[in-house]
C-alpha cells in the first residue's frame, strides 16, 4: 500500500534523525549509539544504550537496535492499570505486563517497533501518533492494534510486540542487547 509505505518510510526517517542527531524535545532522547561507523557484522552483534531520563510518563521514543526500531515507553499509572485489568487468558499471546517488564519497573515498556504480522513499524511511539483503540500501538499497514503492554488485541498480527533482551545499567540508562 502506497500510503502505508509512506508512513513507514517517514518512521524510518524519524528514527534516523533521532539516532544521528539526538534531537532534544518531547518524546525524543539521545540514544547513545556509538557504532555509527562500525561494519555491518559488528553492528549486528552490538548493543544499544539509551538514556531514558527525559522520557516523561505517557511518552515514548523510537531508537534503533540492530538496524530495527525499538520503542521505549514510560507508562502512566492509568496505562499500567489498563494493562493489568485485562484477563490474560483471553489474549491471543497471553502475557502479563509484569512478564514483559523488569521487576519494580513495570512503567518501562521496551519492545521492538516491528509489527509481528508483516514487519511494518506501528504508530504510537512518536508524538501525536495514533495509538489505536487499546491505547498502545497501531499498525497502519493492516490494522493490528496493540494495548498498553504492547500485546496484540486486534487485527492480523499473531504475537505481541517482541521484548528484546535488555537491562538497566543505571536508573536512567537501558542497554538493549
Ligand atoms: S504488518 Fe502490521 S498489521 Fe500487517
Amino acid at each position: 500500500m502506497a500510503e502505508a509505505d509512506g508512513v513507514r518510510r517517514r518512521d524510518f526517517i524519524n528514527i534516523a534523525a533521532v539516532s544521528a542527531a539526538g534531537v532534544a524535545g518531547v518524546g525524543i532522547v539521545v540514544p547513545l549509539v556509538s557504532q555509527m561507523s562500525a561494519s555491518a557484522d559488528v553492528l549486528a552483534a552490538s548493543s544499544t544504550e539509551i538514556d531514558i531520563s527525559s522520557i516523561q510518563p505517557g511518552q515514548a521514543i523510537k531508537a534503533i537496535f540492530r538496524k530495527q526500531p525499538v520503542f521505549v515507553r514510560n507508562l502512566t499509572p492509568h496505562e499500567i492499570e489498563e494493562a493489568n485489568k485485562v484477563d490474560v487468558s483471553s489474549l491471543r499471546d497471553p502475557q502479563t505486563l509484569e512478564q514483559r517488564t523488569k521487576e519494580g519497573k513495570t512503567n518501562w515498556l521496551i519492545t521492538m517497533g516491528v509489527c509481528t504480522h508483516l514487519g511494518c513499524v506501528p504508530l504510537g511511539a512518536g508524538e501525536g501518533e495514533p495509538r489505536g483503540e487499546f491505547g498502545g500501538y497501531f499498525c497502519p499497514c493492516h490494522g493490528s492494534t496493540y494495548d498498553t503492554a504492547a500485546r496484540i488485541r486486534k487485527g492480523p498480527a499473531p504475537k505481541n510486540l517482541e521484548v528484546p533482551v535488555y537491562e538497566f545499567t543505571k536508573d536512567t540508562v537501558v542497554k538493549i542487547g
Side-chain angles (χ1 to χ4, degrees):
M1 260 193 304
E3 190 183 331
D5 287 350
V7 169
R8 191 172 178 201
R9 223 173 4 255
R10 281 198 302 279
D11 262 307
F12 275 113
I13 290 165
N14 187 9
I15 291 159
V18 170
S19 298
V23 182
V26 175
I28 298 173
V29 295
V30 183
L32 305 176
V33 181
S34 57
Q35 57 281 74
M36 297 301 286
S37 59
S39 71
D41 286 356
V42 172
L43 197 63
S46 64
S47 58
T48 297
E49 287 202 348
I50 304 172
D51 180 349
I52 59 172
S53 58
S54 64
I55 309 173
Q56 300 302 310
Q59 293 181 337
I61 60 103
K62 302 172 196 174
I64 294 285
F65 170 57
R66 293 181 186 168
K67 299 188 194 172
Q68 293 194 309
V70 61
F71 297 159
V72 180
R73 181 152 164 179
N74 189 356
L75 298 173
T76 64
H78 178 69
E79 288 171 330
I80 292 171
E81 197 182 317
E82 288 293 303
N84 286 338
K85 75 182 186 193
V86 174
D87 175 5
V88 174
S89 67
S90 72
L91 296 173
R92 190 177 301 171
D93 183 9
Q95 273 190 320
T96 63
L97 176 63
E98 201 175 22
Q99 289 171 319
R100 294 174 56 73
T101 52
K102 299 290 186 197
E103 192 177 351
K105 293 184 181 295
T106 48
N107 61 310
W108 289 111
L109 178 67
I110 299 173
T111 62
M112 300 308 295
V114 179
C115 182
T116 61
H117 180 220
L118 293 176
C120 287
V121 179
L123 300 172
E127 189 185 1
E129 289 181 357
R131 291 180 165 179
E133 67 184 280
F134 297 96
Y137 298 105
F138 173 72
C139 183
C141 289
H142 316 95
S144 285
T145 308
Y146 299 85
D147 67 13
T148 56
R151 297 173 299 200
I152 182 64
R153 298 292 296 276
K154 193 173 174 183
K159 306 286 281 180
N160 303 332
L161 292 189
E162 181 190 349
V163 175
V165 171
Y166 70 91
E167 62 177 337
F168 283 85
T169 55
K170 293 182 197 166
D171 260 2
T172 56
V173 177
V174 172
K175 181 181 167 199
I176 300 175

